[in-house]
Amino acid sequence: MSEKQEFLAQSLAYNHIPFPIIIFDQQGLITWFNGHAERIFQLNTEIAIGHPFSYMNPEQASLHKQPWETLLESTDPVRFENMEIGLGSTGQSYSTIVTKAFTSHGERFLLTIYEVDDSVSADSTARELSHLRHGLDDSFMMTYFDQEFLITYANPHFLKLSKWTPKRVLGKPVWQMFHDGEEDLEFVDSILESLKNGQVWNGEAKKATKDGETYWVDLTAIPMQLSKEDAYYIFLEKDITETKNAQKHLEEIAFIDPITGLANRHRLEQAVAEHVKEGRHFSFLFLDIDRFYTLRDVSDTDTENELLIEFTKRLRMYFSDSLITRAGLHEFALITPLPNWFIEGFLPYLQQHPIYIRGTAVPLTVSGAITKYPEDQQSFVHLIKASYATIKKVKDRGGSAISTLTADDHERLNRKALIEKRLVHALDRKNLQLLYQPQVNLLTGNVESVEALVRWNDDEIGVVTPDELIPIAEESGMIHEIGSFVVETACSQLRDWKAKGINMRISINSSIREFRDKDMASKLIEQIKATNCDPQSLIIEITEKFALEAEAERPIMQQMNRLNQQGVQFALDDFGTGYASFRYMLLLPISSLKIDRTIIQSITKQEKMQKMINGMIQFGKSLDFQVTAEGVETNDQLELLRVMGCNSIQGYIVSHPMNTEELERWLK
């Protein structure tokens, strides 16, 4: 027995309590147990010490909605009722387990008392249910989710296939078990909607491992309603990846879409490769049916298939000399020698030949992109990327149009690809920096806060502004690394300024993607504590789009409220350009508004604009918000804002963004 174990054995008054007692270390491994535990559980010191215990460990605790870390941090005893436990070779019983955390020799331990009554046999119904659960646990991949659809338990079968570990998977949202494409997210939402309505969901599901690899399962999702307020959900899964891969392989061999009879995406890629190899010029036409999900929602599966078949007939009739493929659920791609003017004529052709479903004309339109080989792009991957970029531009303009790549599009695509490539190196080498733009209080004339703006001056690309960098970082998934850099730098700067006697607040911009990380608030609070900066000196700026999505996602609201309780403030950025809502202004912990620069630029040009801006300022102040005007550049703008009672301004009339040294000199 080690010195620590001897200390525990000698100092614990619990040693003579007539119940089994086991003590665990922070990792959930047995450190000590009394004679009662040795006898009832038939434990052997040499075998048991340093090993986990079946009836109390991190996974068992999480199954009963008590994370191990919470048990270790708790100052009060925690009870687990009706726990099924094995009594060595004498069978099974049910017990209440009481846990109490304590500190010894600078380390945290968990003492557990098992209130075992050998004389009372286990209730037959409870035993039957327990055996059923264990049978399911042994036969299926099994995960438990709480009311917020966060994982509270995952069995070994699931962990093995998904490549997660218990420490990493517990607390993760259900969406993280799937891919993050639009169709994947809609699929998951349909499952959750059924569960919320108390319905069992069963079917095939495409999921993602921790490393992003695809696997398929036969999924049964079951809602468990304990009470009106308390519910959880169970996912039972069987791996069918091998079957699905075999099916996919057969489809790839056939190269035929089963619904439309068109060549599929695999044939498309092969055909492009053949054309490229032979040096043949062609136009790559990509078509996306507008509002397809709306059309699909008002129809059943048969109607959806009929719609796709009828649309395919029109493609075949119009593009008779082209290779036509179905490239996605509602996407079609063509390799064609036809000129642009003829391709663009497909839109009026669709209007002249409407699709009728059950006697009713379907209001179907398409958005399209024409990319030429080799003039525009030189590979299948780049043809697809360019097509998606053009389609997005068309849809942003309302859809129902076919567009080609412009010279600006070419330059933008090439620059975007280069930025993605160079950003990886910049983050690795910490080549980013923060600039600070002052915000001046119009009443006092003092600089009370600054906005932190990410600056990246790359040796090859040159200066990359935040407006260009952030969307690319969000799309590529590197926004989390940039967000961590901004938080760490801003907190360190607040600490340094405090040491120099500079009383300043810093506002940082954050995205909805960052807040979908359930650990975002914890990481930020840890950084604040590590740098010993005042949380009230930190402001997080969010957009109206962020606010709308946050209102609908309770975990995001909870993280915002947690940060706000610590003293972190929130500002609504670009106010007036999005979808303003009184509701989220009441629900979210927002304390200030920033009127967008595009609105401020018009303040001296239109009387109606002046009235609108004045109304926005008074509206914000009526809610006790601090109101800041962005992009102020002239004295006329400044004086109008002062008369209107705007609290503070930010813009070139005050200063351009500056680095730390420049700002400190400017403040003097």
Side-chain angles (χ1 to χ4, degrees), residues 335-500:
I335 298 176
T336 180
L338 298 168
N340 288 2
W341 65 266
F342 186 88
I343 294 173
E344 291 166 1
F346 182 62
L347 295 180
Y349 175 82
L350 269 182
Q351 293 178 342
Q352 295 163 10
H353 299 80
I355 295 174
Y356 288 89
I357 303 293
R358 297 173 184 172
T360 303
V362 178
L364 185 146
T365 61
V366 296
S367 297
I370 303 173
T371 312
K372 292 187 175 297
Y373 175 86
E375 296 91 329
D376 294 333
Q377 300 293 333
Q378 288 78 46
S379 71
F380 175 76
V381 171
H382 289 97
L383 286 168
I384 289 290
K385 282 190 174 183
S387 297
Y388 279 128
T390 306
I391 290 284
K392 184 180 184 302
K393 183 175 65 174
V394 172
K395 285 186 175 291
D396 288 344
R397 295 172 180 171
S400 190
I402 296 176
S403 181
T404 58
L405 283 175
T406 65
D408 288 342
D409 292 332
H410 278 290
E411 184 178 348
R412 185 167 58 253
L413 284 169
N414 292 335
R415 181 174 172 82
K416 178 182 175 183
L418 184 58
I419 286 175
E420 288 181 356
K421 178 181 176 181
R422 298 288 297 174
L423 182 56
V424 175
H425 298 288
L427 289 168
D428 184 53
R429 299 170 186 173
K430 301 188 183 300
N431 287 345
L432 304 180
Q433 69 172 139
L434 286 190
L435 298 184
Y436 303 95
Q437 187 170 33
Q439 298 171 357
V440 174
N441 186 307
L442 288 180
L443 185 62
T444 65
N446 296 329
V447 177
E448 297 178 344
S449 59
V450 293
E451 180 180 356
L453 302 168
V454 179
R455 177 180 179 180
W456 177 25
N457 192 352
D458 185 77
D459 295 337
E460 185 175 342
I461 303 175
V463 175
V464 183
T465 65
D467 290 341
E468 183 178 27
L469 173 63
I470 300 305
I472 294 175
E474 287 186 332
E475 185 178 330
S476 64
M478 288 184 274
I479 190 65
H480 297 287
E481 288 82 356
I482 292 178
S484 297
F485 162 78
V486 171
V487 167
E488 181 180 347
T489 306
C491 288
S492 298
Q493 189 60 66
L494 286 170
R495 176 196 59 199
D496 295 344
W497 278 340
K498 183 178 180 181
K500 294 179 180 179

Side-chain angles (χ1 to χ4, degrees), residues 524-540:
L524 181 52
I525 293 170
E526 287 177 10
Q527 190 62 49
I528 289 172
K529 292 179 179 178
T531 53
N532 195 29
C533 77
D534 184 358
Q536 295 187 359
S537 299
L538 194 63
I539 305 169
I540 296 178

Side-chain angles (χ1 to χ4, degrees), residues 9-206:
Q10 295 170 4
S11 62
L12 287 168
Y14 304 104
N15 198 34
H16 299 290
I17 293 178
F19 292 112
I21 297 177
I22 302 178
I23 296 176
F24 300 90
D25 63 14
Q26 296 180 83
Q27 285 71 46
L29 305 179
I30 295 177
T31 300
W32 178 88
F33 52 87
N34 68 357
H36 292 288
E38 181 179 9
R39 184 181 65 260
I40 290 179
F41 297 126
Q42 299 181 16
L43 297 176
N44 182 291
T45 301
E46 294 181 359
I47 297 177
I49 298 298
H51 291 81
F53 187 55
S54 301
Y55 311 112
M56 179 50 63
N57 54 50
E59 288 188 34
Q60 186 68 235
S62 68
L63 177 61
H64 292 268
K65 300 184 180 182
Q66 290 289 347
W68 189 257
E69 291 76 12
T70 302
L71 295 180
L72 288 171
E73 294 169 3
S74 176
T75 56
D76 299 318
V78 179
R79 296 178 66 87
F80 294 83
E81 301 288 350
N82 200 32
M83 293 277 288
E84 183 185 26
I85 59 175
L87 305 178
S89 61
T90 61
Q92 292 180 314
S93 183
Y94 287 81
S95 167
T96 295
I97 302 177
V98 180
T99 70
K100 180 70 173 70
F102 67 97
T103 301
S104 177
H105 286 57
E107 293 185 27
R108 202 71 172 160
F109 294 86
L110 192 71
L111 179 142
T112 59
I113 301 177
Y114 300 78
E115 300 177 1
V116 179
D117 184 356
D118 312 1
S119 61
V120 180
S121 62
D123 176 76
S124 59
T125 302
R127 185 166 61 247
E128 182 179 347
L129 291 174
S130 176
H131 288 166
L132 174 61
R133 196 194 75 81
H134 284 300
L136 293 174
D137 209 12
D138 291 338
S139 305
F140 292 87
M141 291 183 285
M142 181 185 287
T143 46
Y144 279 50
F145 298 82
D146 63 14
Q147 284 183 296
E148 303 300 332
F149 291 100
L150 303 178
I151 289 185
T152 58
Y153 170 75
N155 74 348
H157 291 310
F158 172 85
L159 298 174
K160 181 179 180 181
L161 183 61
S162 66
K163 299 182 181 179
W164 285 96
T165 61
K167 182 177 181 182
R168 297 296 182 188
V169 78
L170 296 180
K172 294 290 183 184
V174 63
W175 295 274
Q176 202 152 335
M177 305 301 109
F178 296 80
H179 292 288
D180 58 0
E182 180 182 348
E183 292 179 25
D184 299 285
L185 295 178
E186 288 187 358
F187 173 76
V188 177
D189 286 341
S190 69
I191 296 175
L192 303 191
E193 194 62 34
S194 296
L195 294 174
K196 290 176 184 176
N197 292 331
Q199 300 170 349
V200 174
W201 190 97
N202 177 256
E204 294 181 354
K206 183 179 71 172

Side-chain angles (χ1 to χ4, degrees), residues 561-573:
N561 286 325
R562 183 183 174 194
L563 288 170
N564 188 243
Q565 289 167 4
Q566 294 289 323
V568 177
Q569 301 176 58
F570 286 87
L572 188 62
D573 195 16

